[in-house]
Protein backbone atom coordinates (compact mmCIF):
# COMPACT_ATOMS: atom_id res chain seq x y z
CA UNK A 1 0.00 0.00 0.00
CA UNK A 2 2.74 2.48 0.95
CA UNK A 3 4.77 1.66 -2.12
CA UNK A 4 1.68 2.14 -4.32
CA UNK A 5 1.05 5.58 -2.81
CA UNK A 6 4.75 6.44 -3.19
CA UNK A 7 4.62 5.48 -6.88
CA UNK A 8 1.48 7.63 -7.43
CA UNK A 9 3.27 10.52 -5.79
CA UNK A 10 6.22 10.14 -8.16
CA UNK A 11 3.93 10.03 -11.20
CA UNK A 12 2.11 13.17 -10.10
CA UNK A 13 5.42 14.95 -9.54
CA UNK A 14 6.47 14.20 -13.10
CA UNK A 15 3.16 15.36 -14.53
CA UNK A 16 3.26 18.53 -12.42
CA UNK A 17 6.77 19.57 -13.36
CA UNK A 18 6.88 18.28 -16.91
CA UNK A 19 3.37 18.76 -18.33
CA UNK A 20 4.68 18.81 -21.92
CA UNK A 21 7.59 17.05 -23.51
CA UNK A 22 8.41 20.06 -25.66
CA UNK A 23 8.78 23.68 -24.63
CA UNK A 24 8.64 24.67 -28.28
CA UNK A 25 4.96 23.97 -28.95
CA UNK A 26 4.34 27.62 -28.17
CA UNK A 27 6.77 30.27 -27.06
CA UNK A 28 4.74 32.73 -25.02
CA UNK A 29 6.26 36.08 -24.27
CA UNK A 30 6.14 37.40 -20.67
CA UNK A 31 3.36 39.84 -21.62
CA UNK A 32 1.17 36.86 -22.63
CA UNK A 33 1.40 37.24 -26.40
CA UNK A 34 2.46 34.30 -28.51
CA UNK A 35 5.52 34.76 -30.71
CA UNK A 36 4.40 34.44 -34.34
CA UNK A 37 6.93 36.30 -36.52
CA UNK A 38 9.37 33.42 -36.10
CA UNK A 39 7.37 31.20 -38.47
CA UNK A 40 8.19 33.46 -41.46
CA UNK A 41 11.84 33.44 -40.48
CA UNK A 42 11.74 29.67 -40.00
CA UNK A 43 10.43 29.25 -43.54
CA UNK A 44 13.39 31.27 -44.83
CA UNK A 45 15.83 29.24 -42.72
CA UNK A 46 14.45 25.96 -44.04
CA UNK A 47 14.68 27.15 -47.66
CA UNK A 48 18.29 25.94 -47.78
CA UNK A 49 19.60 29.42 -48.43
CA UNK A 50 22.29 30.93 -46.19
CA UNK A 51 21.70 34.35 -44.64
CA UNK A 52 23.79 36.67 -42.49
CA UNK A 53 22.44 38.52 -39.48
CA UNK A 54 23.06 42.19 -40.30
CA UNK A 55 26.19 43.27 -38.42
CA UNK A 56 25.25 46.97 -38.61
CA UNK A 57 22.27 46.54 -36.29
CA UNK A 58 21.78 45.40 -32.73
CA UNK A 59 19.79 42.33 -33.67
CA UNK A 60 19.99 38.59 -33.47
CA UNK A 61 18.13 35.35 -33.61
CA UNK A 62 17.58 32.64 -31.03
CA UNK A 63 17.31 29.36 -32.89
CA UNK A 64 15.45 26.61 -31.05
CA UNK A 65 16.74 23.14 -31.84
CA UNK A 66 15.28 19.92 -30.44
CA UNK A 67 16.99 19.99 -27.03
CA UNK A 68 18.76 23.33 -26.90
CA UNK A 69 18.85 26.81 -28.37
CA UNK A 70 21.60 28.73 -30.14
CA UNK A 71 22.10 32.46 -30.47
CA UNK A 72 23.14 33.91 -33.81
CA UNK A 73 24.21 37.51 -33.29
CA UNK A 74 25.29 40.20 -35.72
CA UNK A 75 27.50 38.92 -38.52
CA UNK A 76 26.56 35.26 -37.96
CA UNK A 77 25.46 32.89 -40.69
CA UNK A 78 22.02 31.28 -40.36
CA UNK A 79 20.11 28.85 -42.54
CA UNK A 80 21.51 26.41 -45.06
CA UNK A 81 22.26 22.89 -43.86
CA UNK A 82 23.42 24.28 -40.53
CA UNK A 83 19.90 25.13 -39.29
CA UNK A 84 17.77 22.53 -41.06
CA UNK A 85 16.92 21.08 -37.63
CA UNK A 86 15.69 24.43 -36.31
CA UNK A 87 12.18 24.09 -34.88
CA UNK A 88 11.50 27.72 -33.97
CA UNK A 89 13.16 31.10 -34.33
CA UNK A 90 12.88 34.10 -32.05
CA UNK A 91 14.07 37.43 -33.50
CA UNK A 92 15.68 39.93 -31.14
CA UNK A 93 15.75 43.62 -31.96
CA UNK A 94 14.94 44.80 -35.47
CA UNK A 95 16.09 41.65 -37.26
CA UNK A 96 17.69 42.07 -40.67
CA UNK A 97 18.90 39.07 -42.66
CA UNK A 98 21.23 39.65 -45.61
CA UNK A 99 22.30 37.35 -48.43
CA UNK A 100 26.09 36.88 -48.65
CA UNK A 101 27.61 38.32 -51.82
CA UNK A 102 30.63 36.03 -51.98
CA UNK A 103 32.02 32.77 -50.73
CA UNK A 104 34.47 34.70 -48.51
CA UNK A 105 31.62 36.65 -46.91
CA UNK A 106 29.75 33.40 -46.23
CA UNK A 107 32.88 31.81 -44.72
CA UNK A 108 33.44 34.84 -42.47
CA UNK A 109 29.80 34.63 -41.33
CA UNK A 110 30.23 30.97 -40.38
CA UNK A 111 33.32 31.89 -38.32
CA UNK A 112 31.32 34.58 -36.52
CA UNK A 113 28.50 32.10 -35.84
CA UNK A 114 31.10 29.79 -34.32
CA UNK A 115 32.29 32.64 -32.06
CA UNK A 116 28.73 33.19 -30.79
CA UNK A 117 28.45 29.46 -30.06
CA UNK A 118 31.78 29.52 -28.19
CA UNK A 119 30.60 32.44 -26.05
CA UNK A 120 27.50 30.50 -24.98
CA UNK A 121 29.64 27.38 -24.42
CA UNK A 122 31.90 29.30 -22.02
CA UNK A 123 28.85 30.35 -20.04
CA UNK A 124 27.45 26.80 -19.88
CA UNK A 125 30.73 25.43 -18.52
CA UNK A 126 29.89 27.00 -15.15
CA UNK A 127 28.50 24.16 -12.98
CA UNK A 128 26.16 26.47 -11.01
CA UNK A 129 22.84 26.95 -12.87
CA UNK A 130 21.99 30.31 -11.28
CA UNK A 131 25.35 31.75 -12.26
CA UNK A 132 24.92 30.53 -15.84
CA UNK A 133 21.57 32.29 -16.04
CA UNK A 134 22.94 35.50 -14.51
CA UNK A 135 25.87 35.50 -16.94
CA UNK A 136 23.68 35.02 -20.05
CA UNK A 137 21.30 37.75 -18.84
CA UNK A 138 24.27 40.07 -18.25
CA UNK A 139 25.64 39.33 -21.73
CA UNK A 140 22.31 40.06 -23.39
CA UNK A 141 21.80 43.24 -21.34
CA UNK A 142 25.24 44.49 -22.38
CA UNK A 143 24.30 44.19 -26.03
CA UNK A 144 20.53 44.78 -26.12
CA UNK A 145 18.44 47.36 -24.25
CA UNK A 146 17.14 45.98 -20.91
CA UNK A 147 13.51 46.39 -22.05
CA UNK A 148 14.16 43.99 -24.95
CA UNK A 149 15.87 41.44 -22.69
CA UNK A 150 13.01 41.72 -20.19
CA UNK A 151 10.42 40.60 -22.75
CA UNK A 152 12.36 37.53 -23.89
CA UNK A 153 10.79 34.34 -22.50
CA UNK A 154 12.48 32.37 -19.72
CA UNK A 155 12.50 29.24 -21.87
CA UNK A 156 14.75 30.94 -24.44
CA UNK A 157 17.48 31.62 -21.87
CA UNK A 158 16.92 28.21 -20.26
CA UNK A 159 17.58 26.38 -23.52
CA UNK A 160 20.60 28.55 -24.26
CA UNK A 161 22.44 27.67 -21.03
CA UNK A 162 20.93 24.30 -20.07
CA UNK A 163 18.74 25.10 -17.07
CA UNK A 164 15.05 24.86 -16.28
CA UNK A 165 12.85 27.86 -17.18
CA UNK A 166 11.94 28.11 -13.48
CA UNK A 167 15.60 28.79 -12.69
CA UNK A 168 15.63 31.68 -15.16
CA UNK A 169 12.47 33.10 -13.60
CA UNK A 170 13.98 32.81 -10.13
CA UNK A 171 17.22 34.54 -11.15
CA UNK A 172 15.27 37.30 -12.90
CA UNK A 173 13.24 37.93 -9.74
CA UNK A 174 16.06 37.65 -7.22
CA UNK A 175 19.02 38.77 -9.32
CA UNK A 176 22.42 38.54 -7.70
CA UNK A 177 20.77 37.95 -4.29
CA UNK A 178 20.19 34.36 -5.39
CA UNK A 179 23.78 33.24 -4.76
CA UNK A 180 23.70 34.46 -1.18
CA UNK A 181 20.26 32.91 -0.52
CA UNK A 182 20.85 29.53 -2.12
CA UNK A 183 24.18 27.89 -1.61
CA UNK A 184 24.26 25.12 -4.20
Amino acid sequence: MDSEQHRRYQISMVSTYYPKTSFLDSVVMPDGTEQSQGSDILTRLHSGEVFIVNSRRRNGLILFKRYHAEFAGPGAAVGGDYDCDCQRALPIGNLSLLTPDSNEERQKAYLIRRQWIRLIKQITENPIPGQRVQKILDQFEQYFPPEIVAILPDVAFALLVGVLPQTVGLVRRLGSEMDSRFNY
Side-chain angles (χ1 to χ4, degrees):
M1 178 84 171
D2 288 335
S3 65
E4 186 178 314
Q5 284 181 341
H6 181 68
R7 193 171 40 130
R8 269 195 238 139
Y9 176 73
Q10 287 177 333
I11 292 169
S12 68
M13 287 289 288
V14 170
S15 66
T16 300
Y17 290 107
Y18 302 102
K20 294 182 180 179
T21 56
S22 174
F23 293 116
L24 302 177
D25 292 338
S26 63
V27 174
V28 178
M29 304 303 273
D31 63 1
T33 59
E34 201 168 316
Q35 191 271 330
S36 62
Q37 183 186 4
S39 61
D40 296 337
I41 295 167
L42 195 58
T43 303
R44 290 180 75 186
L45 294 177
H46 287 164
S47 71
E49 198 174 342
V50 175
F51 300 97
I52 299 174
V53 177
N54 191 341
S55 61
R56 296 177 187 226
R57 292 190 186 181
R58 287 189 178 253
N59 66 148
L61 200 53
I62 296 178
L63 304 164
F64 294 92
K65 307 289 180 115
R66 185 167 181 171
Y67 298 109
H68 73 286
E70 295 176 11
F71 177 69
V78 293
D81 292 338
Y82 200 70
D83 293 316
C84 63
D85 62 340
C86 186
Q87 296 180 346
R88 238 175 144 77
L90 179 63
I92 303 173
N94 187 13
L95 182 68
S96 171
L97 296 178
L98 308 172
T99 305
D101 294 329
S102 66
N103 214 16
E104 292 79 26
E105 195 173 304
R106 179 188 304 224
Q107 193 171 25
K108 181 181 174 191
Y110 277 120
L111 290 174
I112 292 171
R113 171 78 179 264
R114 200 167 83 186
Q115 287 175 337
W116 285 109
I117 291 171
R118 282 185 179 159
L119 173 67
I120 303 296
K121 180 185 177 286
Q122 286 175 345
I123 294 169
T124 59
E125 287 174 344
N126 186 330
I128 302 172
Q131 289 179 3
R132 290 198 306 259
V133 172
Q134 189 61 58
K135 185 68 174 174
I136 193 74
L137 290 172
D138 291 345
Q139 289 290 324
F140 270 71
E141 286 176 354
Q142 282 180 3
Y143 197 75
F144 297 107
E147 56 273 8
I148 288 179
V149 177
I151 64 168
L152 294 175
D154 291 347
V155 69
F157 291 113
L159 289 171
L160 281 169
V161 295
V163 300
L164 293 172
Q166 297 89 330
T167 305
V168 177
L170 190 63
V171 171
R172 281 180 151 174
R173 280 192 305 279
L174 298 176
S176 58
E177 295 175 23
M178 190 170 153
D179 287 337
S180 61
R181 284 189 176 188
F182 301 103
N183 197 4
Y184 322 45

